[in-house]
Amino acid sequence: MAEAADADDVAALVRYARRAGMTVTAQPSGHGASGDVEGLILLRTGLLNEVEVRAQERVVRVGAGVKWGQVLAAAGPLGLTGLAGSAPGVSVTGYTLGGGVGWFSRKYGLASDSVRAIDIVDADGEPGRVTAESDPELFWALRGGGGDFAVVTALELELYPAPVLYGGRVIWPEHRTREVYDAFLEITAEAPRELSVWINRLQPPGAPPMVTLDLAYLGEAAQGQDLLARIDKIEDAISDSRGVVPVADLGGIAAEPTDPAPSIARAELLTGLDADAVELLLAKPVEPLINVQIRHLGGALAEPGGGAGASGAVAEPYLLGLVG
């Protein structure tokens, strides 16, 4: 394992690995780590932690070790947000190189398509800066194609206006699951692009099974309340955290654990949620899984612009995630 203090350290490490016939793989935080380290050097990038917000340009520059919580904390007070996912402890670079489906992707697309420039070290150990103009093919591949093409040391990403956010999590006991699914289908059938709704069947260790809706609306609270009024008809809510959400607290909606824990996950895109699919998803207990989640997609995700990266369009309207 090696820890880099700057881009020069990364370049020196890659040149050493090339001479030694070894592979380098970067691990900013360990989120989603596979544990397969045979024949490679594990590069920790936590010290590459610069965050520079250029508010007038609506751009943020982040080092390869920066986590989304840091970006949201810096951008939020300026009325801006990046296209973050559900967890503040996830690295910006790893998430973005893989595409990045987040709270505001229905409005603005994948996080990878918001990249404006990428600082890299190539396989020869040479530093470089990649943009749409300097190397359009590599720029396309890095934005959604994963981290196999170069070691990324910094990213520049577009930021988006977020003067007000409304959202939160509503939790019900298991016996309300079918009603919550019906509400989820009803809301997502007509949801504007500013609204993202995710449903979870949860079975936390040592707790009873429950069902939740995670909600984020890029707009005024009153409008968000109107769009989600259908939820208020479901009785027996255990908790309801809906309200105005500071950008810096976006990670609190899903409240995912931040401590390391062993897990295995699987995700599949769904072409729809007809009656048969819903029955299948509701038929059995969640155990031995911890969570069965469905995220509503669509919007800008299905219509990438001409500058889209390797992930391309996501035509399917729902994403199923399983975690155990």
Coordinates of all heavy atoms in Angstrom, one line a residue, residues 18 54-55 63 68 72 81 114 131 135 176 179 193 195 202 205 212 226 269 289 305:
R18 N 5.3 0.3 -13.0 CA 5.6 -0.1 -14.4 C 6.9 -0.9 -14.5 O 7.0 -1.9 -15.1 CB 5.6 1.2 -15.3 CG 5.7 0.9 -16.8 CD 5.7 2.1 -17.6 NE 5.8 1.8 -19.0 CZ 4.8 1.5 -19.8 NH1 3.6 1.5 -19.4 NH2 5.0 1.3 -21.1
R54 N -15.3 27.7 -7.2 CA -15.3 28.9 -7.9 C -16.7 29.3 -8.2 O -17.3 28.9 -9.3 CB -14.5 28.8 -9.2 CG -13.0 28.3 -8.9 CD -12.1 28.5 -10.1 NE -12.4 27.8 -11.3 CZ -11.9 26.6 -11.6 NH1 -11.0 26.0 -10.8 NH2 -12.2 26.0 -12.7
A55 N -17.3 30.0 -7.3 CA -18.8 30.3 -7.3 C -19.2 31.0 -8.6 O -20.3 30.7 -9.1 CB -19.2 31.0 -6.1
G63 N -9.6 17.3 -5.1 CA -8.6 16.3 -5.2 C -9.2 14.9 -5.2 O -10.4 14.7 -4.8
W68 N -17.9 13.5 -0.9 CA -19.0 14.3 -1.2 C -19.5 15.3 -0.1 O -19.9 16.4 -0.3 CB -20.2 13.5 -1.7 CG -20.2 13.3 -3.2 CD1 -20.0 12.1 -3.9 CD2 -20.3 14.3 -4.2 NE1 -20.0 12.3 -5.2 CE2 -20.2 13.7 -5.5 CE3 -20.5 15.7 -4.2 CZ2 -20.3 14.4 -6.7 CZ3 -20.6 16.4 -5.4 CH2 -20.5 15.7 -6.6
L72 N -20.3 19.3 -0.5 CA -21.6 19.9 -0.2 C -21.5 20.9 0.9 O -22.2 22.0 0.9 CB -22.6 18.8 0.3 CG -22.9 17.7 -0.8 CD1 -23.8 16.6 -0.2 CD2 -23.6 18.4 -2.0
T81 N -25.0 23.2 -5.4 CA -24.8 21.8 -5.1 C -24.1 21.1 -6.2 O -24.2 21.5 -7.4 CB -26.1 21.1 -4.8 OG1 -25.9 19.7 -4.4 CG2 -27.0 21.0 -6.0
S114 N -21.1 16.0 -15.7 CA -20.9 17.4 -15.2 C -19.4 17.7 -15.1 O -19.0 18.8 -14.7 CB -21.5 17.5 -13.8 OG -20.9 16.8 -12.8
T131 N -9.3 17.3 -21.1 CA -10.6 18.0 -21.4 C -11.2 17.5 -22.7 O -10.6 16.7 -23.4 CB -10.3 19.5 -21.4 OG1 -9.6 19.8 -22.6 CG2 -9.6 20.1 -20.2
D135 N -8.2 15.9 -25.3 CA -8.2 14.5 -25.7 C -9.6 14.0 -25.6 O -10.0 13.4 -24.6 CB -7.3 13.7 -24.7 CG -7.0 12.3 -25.1 OD1 -7.9 11.7 -25.9 OD2 -6.0 11.7 -24.8
R176 N -47.7 -1.6 6.3 CA -48.0 -0.5 5.4 C -47.3 -0.6 4.0 O -47.4 0.4 3.2 CB -47.8 0.9 6.0 CG -48.7 1.2 7.2 CD -50.1 1.3 6.8 NE -51.0 1.6 8.0 CZ -52.3 1.6 7.9 NH1 -52.9 1.3 6.7 NH2 -53.1 1.8 8.9
E179 N -49.3 -0.1 0.7 CA -49.8 1.2 0.5 C -48.7 2.2 0.1 O -48.9 3.1 -0.8 CB -50.5 1.7 1.8 CG -51.7 1.0 2.2 CD -52.2 1.5 3.6 OE1 -52.7 2.6 3.7 OE2 -52.0 0.7 4.5
R193 N -38.9 16.7 -12.9 CA -37.5 16.3 -12.8 C -36.8 16.8 -11.6 O -35.8 16.2 -11.2 CB -36.8 16.9 -14.1 CG -37.3 16.3 -15.4 CD -36.5 16.7 -16.6 NE -37.0 16.1 -17.8 CZ -36.2 15.9 -18.8 NH1 -35.0 16.3 -18.9 NH2 -36.7 15.3 -19.9
L195 N -37.9 16.4 -8.6 CA -38.3 15.5 -7.5 C -37.7 14.1 -7.7 O -37.9 13.5 -8.8 CB -39.8 15.4 -7.4 CG -40.3 14.4 -6.3 CD1 -39.9 14.9 -4.9 CD2 -41.9 14.3 -6.5
L202 N -36.7 -2.2 4.4 CA -35.5 -2.3 5.3 C -35.7 -3.4 6.3 O -36.8 -3.5 6.9 CB -35.3 -1.0 6.0 CG -34.7 0.2 5.2 CD1 -34.7 1.5 6.1 CD2 -33.3 -0.1 4.7
P205 N -30.4 -5.0 11.2 CA -30.1 -6.0 12.2 C -30.7 -5.6 13.6 O -30.5 -4.5 14.1 CB -28.6 -6.0 12.3 CG -28.1 -5.5 10.9 CD -29.2 -4.5 10.5
T212 N -39.7 2.6 3.8 CA -39.5 4.0 3.9 C -39.6 4.6 2.5 O -39.4 4.0 1.5 CB -38.1 4.3 4.4 OG1 -37.1 4.2 3.4 CG2 -37.7 3.4 5.6
D226 N -46.9 19.8 -1.8 CA -48.0 19.6 -2.7 C -47.8 18.3 -3.5 O -48.6 17.5 -3.7 CB -48.3 20.7 -3.6 CG -48.9 21.9 -2.9 OD1 -49.4 21.8 -1.7 OD2 -48.8 23.1 -3.4
L269 N -31.2 -2.6 -13.5 CA -32.1 -1.6 -14.1 C -33.4 -2.3 -14.4 O -33.4 -3.4 -14.9 CB -31.5 -0.9 -15.3 CG -30.4 0.0 -15.1 CD1 -29.6 0.3 -16.4 CD2 -30.8 1.3 -14.4
L289 N -31.4 -10.2 3.3 CA -30.9 -8.9 2.9 C -31.2 -7.8 4.0 O -32.0 -8.1 5.0 CB -31.6 -8.4 1.6 CG -31.4 -9.3 0.4 CD1 -32.2 -8.8 -0.8 CD2 -29.9 -9.5 0.1
G305 N -27.0 14.9 -23.1 CA -26.7 15.8 -24.2 C -25.6 15.3 -25.1 O -25.1 14.2 -24.9

